[in-house]
């Protein structure tokens, strides 16, 4: 239905379907994320070179590699921040290659950034209220039309309840009225992950979520990630801390010079001579 055709009588809103992010993600696809032959060059430099891998549903998978291995570029290609020169990205059975970032997020594939991107002049609570999808109040006519406006208010009240639940889950409810620009680096990481969860994702791509985070907050973040994984969420994690990856991920993918060097369990990776040589700067 087009925007001009929509109206109060055509606006069917299912609050539980659109708001409830507490339910577990769909687990019908064994490998929700599949990357096949992904390639990206910048001038004469090949940043990602025929990268191929898949991520199993309900797992915490690590994506590692030496500096310049192509990890961030791979994340950007998967999430639509940049367009690939070749290859495909499939999510939940749909080809999402080259789609716009917001469209990919609407598919249920959501990322965080190494440097948190909160709206600094808004409070933590206001930042959170912007995150959920399909908000009726986003269309002006719904906010001012008698008989429809009540539905907008009702949804906002339900959203607010959900926001407070997520704030409490991430233990940042005590700073709800604080401006986001005043938060510490660790608090911003918690806020960004909390906002991502409110988009009702199936899978989260975390780009160095522990960078600049003190050990206490790092432990809290890890606890939340494991709790969410137990609820059925799938994670792909880029992180430089090898010990953290090896202690927390079930599966590890190693990039080197834009290609997948190897993948396997943490035990497999730690004993792999090619991985050791790549991290020590040798030729592989």
């Amino acid at each position: 239905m087009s925007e001009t055709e929509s109206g109060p009588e055509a606006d069917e809103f299912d609050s539980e379907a659109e708001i409830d992010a507490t339910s577990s993600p769909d687990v019908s696809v064994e490998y929700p994320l599949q990357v096949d032959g992904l390639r990206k060059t910048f001038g004469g430099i090949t940043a990602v070179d025929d990268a191929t891998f898949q991520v199993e549903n309900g797992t915490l998978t690590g994506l590692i590699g030496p500096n310049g291995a192509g990890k961030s570029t791979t994340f950007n290609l998967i999430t639509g921040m940049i367009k690939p020169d070749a290859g495909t990205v499939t999510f939940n059975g749909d080809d999402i290659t080259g789609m716009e970032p917001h469209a990919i997020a609407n598919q249920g594939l959501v990322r965080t950034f190494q440097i948190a991107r909160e709206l600094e002049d808004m409070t933590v609570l206001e930042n959170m209220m912007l995150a959920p999808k399909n908000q009726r109040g986003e269309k002006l006519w719904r906010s001012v039309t008698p008989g429809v406006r009540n539905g907008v208010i009702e949804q906002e009240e339900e959203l607010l309840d959900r926001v407070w639940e997520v704030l409490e889950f991430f233990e940042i409810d005590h700073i709800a009225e604080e401006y986001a620009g005043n938060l510490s680096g660790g608090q911003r990481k918690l806020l960004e992950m909390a906002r991502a969860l409110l988009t009702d994702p199936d899978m989260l791509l975390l780009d160095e979520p522990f960078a600049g985070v003190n050990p206490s907050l790092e432990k809290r973040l890890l606890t939340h990630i494991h709790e969410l994984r137990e609820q059925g969420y799938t994670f792909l994690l880029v992180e430089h801390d090898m010990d953290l990856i090896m202690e927390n991920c079930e599966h590890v993918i190693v990039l080197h010079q834009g290609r997948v060097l190897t993948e396997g369990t943490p035990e497999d990776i730690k004993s792999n001579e090619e991985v050791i040589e790549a991290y020590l700067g040798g030729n592989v």
Side-chain angles (χ1 to χ4, degrees):
M1 180 178 295
S2 68
E3 181 67 20
T4 57
E5 294 173 327
S6 60
E9 67 282 359
D11 180 38
E12 298 180 359
F13 171 64
D14 183 344
S15 62
E16 290 185 0
E18 294 189 350
I19 290 178
D20 185 11
T22 60
S23 58
S24 297
D26 180 16
V27 294
S28 59
V29 181
E30 184 177 3
Y31 295 98
L33 179 63
Q34 300 183 45
V35 175
D36 185 19
L38 212 56
R39 181 179 177 84
K40 183 65 181 180
T41 60
F42 298 99
I45 299 174
T46 301
V48 178
D49 187 9
D50 195 33
T52 299
F53 60 87
Q54 55 190 10
V55 177
E56 186 176 354
N57 213 334
T59 62
L60 176 53
T61 297
L63 182 65
I64 66 172
N67 289 335
K71 303 183 298 294
S72 293
T73 303
T74 299
F75 253 40
N76 288 335
L77 291 169
I78 292 171
T79 56
M81 304 299 294
I82 55 178
K83 312 301 181 187
D85 298 327
T88 59
V89 180
T90 304
F91 183 66
N92 283 342
D94 296 325
D95 186 347
I96 62 169
T97 312
M99 288 174 58
E100 294 298 321
H102 70 273
I104 292 175
N106 284 335
Q107 294 277 96
L109 181 62
V110 177
R111 71 168 294 174
T112 65
F113 293 86
Q114 182 177 350
I115 300 175
R117 299 188 175 188
E118 71 287 330
L119 299 171
E120 295 186 352
D121 295 329
M122 300 180 72
T123 67
V124 168
L125 186 62
E126 289 167 340
N127 269 271
M128 295 284 284
M129 287 294 289
L130 288 175
K133 299 180 288 189
N134 303 318
Q135 295 192 45
R136 300 182 72 181
E138 291 174 353
K139 290 182 170 59
L140 179 61
W141 69 266
R142 290 176 178 161
S143 299
V144 298
T145 303
V148 179
R149 187 171 184 275
N150 288 340
V152 174
I153 295 172
E154 180 181 349
Q155 186 199 24
E156 287 184 348
E157 290 173 349
E158 293 173 349
L159 279 175
L160 188 59
D161 289 340
R162 173 59 182 149
V163 163
W164 278 108
E165 288 177 8
V166 176
L167 286 172
E168 291 171 4
F169 177 80
F170 283 95
E171 303 175 68
I172 53 175
D173 50 308
H174 63 289
I175 55 172
E177 301 299 334
E178 183 64 70
Y179 284 103
N182 295 335
L183 303 184
S184 68
Q187 289 171 331
R188 293 185 185 197
K189 293 293 180 73
L190 288 166
L191 171 57
E192 184 167 42
M193 196 176 299
R195 283 193 311 178
L197 187 61
L198 279 173
T199 66
D200 200 12
D202 291 330
M203 181 173 176
L204 287 161
L205 277 63
L206 308 181
D207 189 0
E208 297 194 34
F210 309 106
V213 174
N214 66 48
S216 175
L217 277 175
E218 178 182 292
K219 185 176 180 179
R220 281 172 56 188
L221 273 169
L222 280 168
T223 297
H224 296 317
I225 289 170
H226 282 293
E227 288 175 349
L228 291 169
R229 186 189 58 77
E230 290 171 2
Q231 294 175 26
Y233 288 91
T234 304
F235 291 88
L236 180 62
L237 168 66
V238 165
E239 177 58 45
H240 282 293
D241 187 334
M242 288 284 289
D243 290 337
L244 187 150
I245 289 287
M246 297 303 172
E247 292 170 5
N248 291 278
C249 294
E250 299 104 316
H251 191 78
V252 181
I253 301 164
V254 184
L255 284 181
H256 181 61
Q257 297 179 353
R259 301 179 66 91
V260 175
L261 178 62
T262 189
E263 58 181 299
T265 66
E267 291 73 21
D268 294 335
I269 299 303
K270 284 188 289 188
S271 61
N272 188 292
E273 292 295 332
E274 287 186 314
V275 174
I276 296 170
E277 198 168 353
Y279 269 93
L280 292 176
N283 295 320
V284 296

